[in-house]
Amino acid sequence: TREELLDIIDKGEWVDVEFKRAASSLPTDGVDVSAFANTKGGTIGFGIEEKDSKFKILGVENTEKLQSDFLTTLRGEKFNNVLSVVAERHEVDGKNVLVFHINEMPRQAKPIYYGNDIRNSFLRLVEKRLLSMIYQDKPNHPEQKYYADKELLERIFKSEI
């Protein structure tokens, strides 16, 4: 509901909530989607911007197209599996906000990664931006924390998270 959305925005980003400006185009990577699908799931809101440590609704343009494009991305070839997602549209003060609830994928389907590269697998951990980044040959990535090879990734995701 609208009230639930406002409550989530008021509480801010956390381990299971991420906001994106995404006014007229989709985010270019799948970090948050992969992280939510590989852990306990989460919610991504489009049309919400952080400014001075507060979140403000700016809205999205062409709501139907942006929603359709994002759902196509989640159910298409960008990720290694078709993802389970619930989409919602909300209008707040005349501004449109898109909300996507990304469900955790079954253990047998993990890891979820994008770009046809298992090194693009992510986990969402306790703190908002504490992600277990699995990168190899990308030393300049600003949030790189850890390195793991394919075999280690498979062992991590086959165990209970």
Side-chain angles (χ1 to χ4, degrees):
T1 68
R2 179 184 186 276
E3 290 73 29
E4 291 171 328
L5 173 63
L6 293 173
D7 186 52
I8 290 170
I9 293 170
D10 187 52
K11 290 179 182 174
E13 293 179 325
W14 188 241
V15 66
D16 60 348
V17 177
E18 182 71 27
F19 301 126
K20 301 289 184 188
R21 173 67 183 104
S24 58
S25 62
L26 297 178
T28 57
D29 64 37
V31 172
D32 297 306
V33 172
S34 170
F36 288 151
N38 284 324
T39 51
K40 299 295 182 190
T43 300
I44 299 175
F46 288 179
I48 303 165
E49 182 176 64
E50 182 177 12
K51 189 168 188 172
D52 300 325
S53 300
K54 296 199 183 232
F55 294 93
K56 178 180 178 181
I57 296 175
L58 298 177
V60 296
E61 303 166 13
N62 201 345
T63 307
E64 288 184 26
K65 181 179 184 331
L66 196 62
Q67 179 177 339
S68 177
D69 289 351
F70 192 62
L71 291 173
T72 298
T73 297
L74 298 180
R75 297 174 178 154
E77 296 179 5
K78 184 161 183 155
F79 290 90
N80 62 311
N81 282 302
V82 174
L83 302 178
S84 174
V85 62
V86 175
E88 298 175 5
R89 292 184 204 180
H90 297 276
E91 185 176 323
V92 180
D93 299 328
K95 299 172 185 171
N96 293 312
V97 176
L98 292 173
V99 177
F100 300 93
H101 303 283
I102 310 296
N103 295 310
E104 178 181 10
M105 293 297 286
R107 187 169 57 107
Q108 298 81 1
K110 295 177 185 178
I112 299 301
Y113 52 90
Y114 70 95
N116 208 21
D117 187 344
I118 196 169
R119 294 172 295 178
N120 289 330
S121 301
F122 300 89
L123 298 174
R124 193 78 178 226
L125 301 175
V126 177
E127 294 181 22
K128 177 185 111 177
R129 296 307 263 170
L130 180 57
L131 302 176
S132 176
M133 300 295 196
I134 312 299
Y135 274 102
Q136 192 178 42
D137 304 324
K138 292 188 181 181
N140 296 323
H141 191 279
E143 294 183 8
Q144 182 175 351
K145 302 282 187 229
Y146 304 103
Y147 162 83
D149 61 23
K150 182 177 177 180
E151 291 78 24
L152 179 56
L153 268 175
E154 289 171 349
R155 287 198 316 265
I156 289 170
F157 284 103
K158 295 303 178 205
S159 66
E160 290 292 331
I161 294 179

